[in-house]
Amino acid sequence: MKRSSGVRMCALAVGGVLSLALITGCSDGGSKDPATAAGPAAGAKALSVAELKQRILAQGEVDGYKVNAVGAAAPNRSRIRTSDEKCRPLAYVLTGLAPAAAGAEIGRTVRQDKKDPTDDATSLDTMADGKFEAAIKDSLNLDVTSLDLSSYDGNGARQAMKDLSAAVEDCAAGFTGGSTGDEQKVTKVTATEPTGTGDEAVAFTAVTDMDGDKGPLHAEVVRHGNTLATYFTMNIGAMMGGKTYAVPPAVVKAQAAKLK
């Protein structure tokens, strides 16, 4: 990869989906059918933001990761656009939000704890292309996960999962979506095996085309009663280097433990 290509992909990713977060239904490893999975009572009430705040991951609760509030970087659901309405749940998830509007919602950024490179900008500038690319990829080779907890009245959570599962299938050939003015082109959506435990889960990989540079984004949504835990992970260094990565199982399991 040429230096210009690698830096361009990095800049586009940081300025696109990642900036909003800073990125097949089954249950218990696929043992249950979503249609028959346990669901909340019809009269269930959504948890409040304060209650979700007590249940979402906090700093120090998952080894090897730093947990931070999203703050002003939180995406605005009303600004999300998509080329196909049936793909809207995917567009929400790929901007760090739950797949459907909820009674209450709260987000965090969970970043892999990795030491910053010791080389300063001047030394990077004097590197040969090969070493420059390697240094950039290494510094960016870390998982950054947008974690969102959302809670729903009645059967809202189950319906959100049903719509998301349908979107994974219906939008397999791709779509364009994202925050207004920063839409991303998704060329392929593939269902994947979820890592989380809960009443049901949906996981998928979306391949994006960023100005000619293609890379995978990974997401998983797990339902715990009438609360959804949404995970959206991207690793720019892995994308640049053509390496595989996934939603971190440690993060999913740590969050699941707080929702039992």
Side-chain angles (χ1 to χ4, degrees), residues 88-115:
R88 184 173 292 274
L90 301 179
Y92 285 146
V93 172
L94 293 174
T95 48
L97 294 168
E105 188 169 10
I106 188 171
R108 294 289 184 266
T109 297
V110 185
R111 179 185 177 94
Q112 189 175 359
D113 192 3
K114 184 176 180 179
K115 293 182 179 180

Side-chain angles (χ1 to χ4, degrees), residues 9-252:
M9 182 174 182
C10 172
L12 285 168
V14 172
V17 181
L18 184 58
S19 65
L20 298 174
L22 298 148
I23 157 176
T24 298
C26 58
S27 173
D28 295 334
S31 60
K32 300 178 185 176
D33 186 325
T36 60
K45 296 296 183 181
L47 298 175
S48 67
V49 171
E51 289 172 316
L52 289 178
K53 188 175 182 179
Q54 295 299 315
R55 291 165 171 78
I56 199 166
L57 277 180
Q59 174 59 23
E61 293 183 334
V62 54
D63 291 340
Y65 294 84
K66 293 182 178 179
V67 180
N68 294 291
V70 176
N76 186 330
R77 189 178 294 274
S78 67
R79 290 179 55 83
I80 304 301
R81 300 290 183 266
T82 182
S83 58
D84 192 326
E85 187 63 25
K86 64 187 177 185
C87 303
R88 184 173 292 274
L90 301 179
Y92 285 146
V93 172
L94 293 174
T95 48
L97 294 168
E105 188 169 10
I106 188 171
R108 294 289 184 266
T109 297
V110 185
R111 179 185 177 94
Q112 189 175 359
D113 192 3
K114 184 176 180 179
K115 293 182 179 180
D116 293 330
T118 55
D119 295 309
D120 58 30
T122 302
S123 62
L124 285 175
D125 287 341
T126 61
M127 287 182 179
D129 280 350
K131 290 184 177 181
F132 177 89
E133 288 294 339
I136 290 294
K137 291 176 185 177
D138 182 65
S139 66
L140 296 174
N141 186 20
L142 72 167
D143 297 330
V144 180
T145 300
S146 292
L147 167 62
D148 179 282
L149 285 191
S150 55
S151 193
Y152 303 77
D153 291 329
N155 287 320
R158 292 192 72 179
Q159 185 61 51
M161 295 295 287
K162 181 179 178 180
D163 293 343
L164 177 62
S165 184
V168 171
E169 181 176 350
D170 294 340
C171 304
F175 65 98
T176 299
S179 185
T180 302
D182 193 31
E183 292 87 349
Q184 304 291 321
K185 182 180 179 181
V186 175
T187 61
K188 183 179 180 181
V189 177
T190 306
T192 57
E193 186 72 16
T195 60
T197 58
D199 296 312
E200 55 181 313
V202 174
F204 66 91
T205 295
V207 178
T208 61
D209 187 337
M210 302 177 184
D211 198 28
D213 288 308
K214 294 184 178 181
L217 305 174
H218 301 287
E220 180 172 345
V221 182
V222 184
R223 181 173 68 81
H224 302 264
N226 63 337
T227 296
L228 300 185
T230 299
Y231 310 86
F232 161 54
T233 302
M234 71 185 302
N235 182 319
I236 298 175
M239 293 167 69
M240 291 173 64
K243 298 180 179 179
T244 60
Y245 71 100
V247 174
V251 174
V252 179

